[in-house]
Amino acid sequence: MADEEIAGYLIRRELENGDDEFWNPIEKWVSDPGDSELYEDEDEANAVADLLSENDSLAITVEEVYFDDGEEEDEATDGE
Protein backbone atom coordinates (compact mmCIF):
# COMPACT_ATOMS: atom_id res chain seq x y z
CA MET A 1 0.00 0.00 0.00
CA ALA A 2 3.02 2.25 -0.05
CA ASP A 3 2.03 3.77 -3.39
CA GLU A 4 -1.63 4.39 -2.46
CA GLU A 5 -2.79 7.88 -1.54
CA ILE A 6 -4.37 8.39 1.88
CA ALA A 7 -7.91 9.78 1.71
CA GLY A 8 -8.16 10.45 5.45
CA TYR A 9 -8.35 8.88 8.88
CA LEU A 10 -11.08 7.08 10.83
CA ILE A 11 -11.32 6.63 14.57
CA ARG A 12 -12.12 3.01 15.40
CA ARG A 13 -12.72 1.09 18.58
CA GLU A 14 -12.87 -2.67 18.94
CA LEU A 15 -15.69 -4.02 21.07
CA GLU A 16 -15.19 -6.92 23.45
CA ASN A 17 -16.99 -9.25 21.00
CA GLY A 18 -14.50 -8.35 18.23
CA ASP A 19 -16.83 -6.04 16.27
CA ASP A 20 -15.68 -2.56 15.32
CA GLU A 21 -17.36 0.81 15.81
CA PHE A 22 -16.37 4.10 14.24
CA TRP A 23 -16.60 7.64 15.61
CA ASN A 24 -19.17 10.12 14.35
CA PRO A 25 -19.34 13.34 16.42
CA ILE A 26 -23.11 13.64 15.92
CA GLU A 27 -24.24 10.03 16.30
CA LYS A 28 -21.33 8.92 18.54
CA TRP A 29 -20.21 5.33 17.82
CA VAL A 30 -21.60 3.78 14.62
CA SER A 31 -21.10 0.32 13.12
CA ASP A 32 -20.75 1.45 9.49
CA PRO A 33 -17.43 3.12 8.68
CA GLY A 34 -19.20 4.96 5.85
CA ASP A 35 -21.27 6.81 8.47
CA SER A 36 -18.25 7.90 10.49
CA GLU A 37 -16.22 11.10 10.45
CA LEU A 38 -13.33 11.10 7.97
CA TYR A 39 -10.55 13.30 9.29
CA GLU A 40 -8.21 14.89 6.76
CA ASP A 41 -5.50 15.55 9.34
CA GLU A 42 -3.90 12.65 11.22
CA ASP A 43 -2.93 14.84 14.19
CA GLU A 44 -6.54 16.00 14.59
CA ALA A 45 -7.80 12.41 14.45
CA ASN A 46 -5.22 11.37 17.05
CA ALA A 47 -6.20 14.26 19.34
CA VAL A 48 -9.89 13.28 19.16
CA ALA A 49 -9.01 9.61 19.73
CA ASP A 50 -6.96 10.56 22.79
CA LEU A 51 -9.91 12.51 24.23
CA LEU A 52 -12.27 9.61 23.56
CA SER A 53 -9.84 7.16 25.18
CA GLU A 54 -9.94 9.10 28.46
CA ASN A 55 -13.53 7.96 29.11
CA ASP A 56 -13.50 4.58 27.39
CA SER A 57 -11.94 1.31 28.50
CA LEU A 58 -11.91 -0.12 24.95
CA ALA A 59 -8.94 0.24 22.60
CA ILE A 60 -9.42 3.25 20.32
CA THR A 61 -7.18 3.65 17.27
CA VAL A 62 -6.79 5.88 14.25
CA GLU A 63 -6.73 4.09 10.91
CA GLU A 64 -5.73 5.28 7.47
CA VAL A 65 -8.30 5.21 4.67
CA TYR A 66 -6.99 4.97 1.11
CA PHE A 67 -8.58 6.26 -2.07
CA ASP A 68 -10.36 3.52 -4.00
CA ASP A 69 -9.17 3.52 -7.60
CA GLY A 70 -12.02 1.21 -8.57
CA GLU A 71 -9.68 -1.62 -9.53
CA GLU A 72 -9.84 -4.92 -7.72
CA GLU A 73 -6.72 -6.33 -6.10
CA ASP A 74 -5.59 -9.44 -7.97
CA GLU A 75 -8.76 -11.34 -7.08
CA ALA A 76 -9.37 -12.64 -10.57
CA THR A 77 -11.65 -15.62 -10.75
CA ASP A 78 -9.98 -18.72 -12.05
CA GLY A 79 -13.05 -20.74 -12.91
CA GLU A 80 -13.77 -22.06 -9.43
Side-chain angles (χ1 to χ4, degrees):
M1 283 193 204
D3 60 341
E4 293 185 39
E5 188 175 349
I6 295 174
Y9 303 88
L10 294 180
I11 298 173
R12 177 186 71 87
R13 74 175 177 180
E14 184 176 342
L15 302 176
E16 292 175 1
N17 65 3
D19 290 343
D20 294 329
E21 289 185 325
F22 302 88
W23 180 249
N24 176 318
I26 296 170
E27 298 176 41
K28 307 300 179 208
W29 293 104
V30 295
S31 59
D32 183 355
D35 292 336
S36 66
E37 179 78 15
L38 182 66
Y39 293 86
E40 292 181 16
D41 183 69
E42 184 178 16
D43 290 336
E44 180 184 3
N46 281 316
V48 172
D50 288 345
L51 287 173
L52 293 170
S53 294
E54 291 177 5
N55 298 317
D56 201 320
S57 62
L58 299 173
I60 296 175
T61 57
V62 173
E63 296 193 355
E64 297 172 340
V65 176
Y66 296 93
F67 284 106
D68 182 6
D69 61 6
E71 294 182 17
E72 294 294 321
E73 300 275 332
D74 291 321
E75 295 180 15
T77 57
D78 54 9
E80 291 182 21

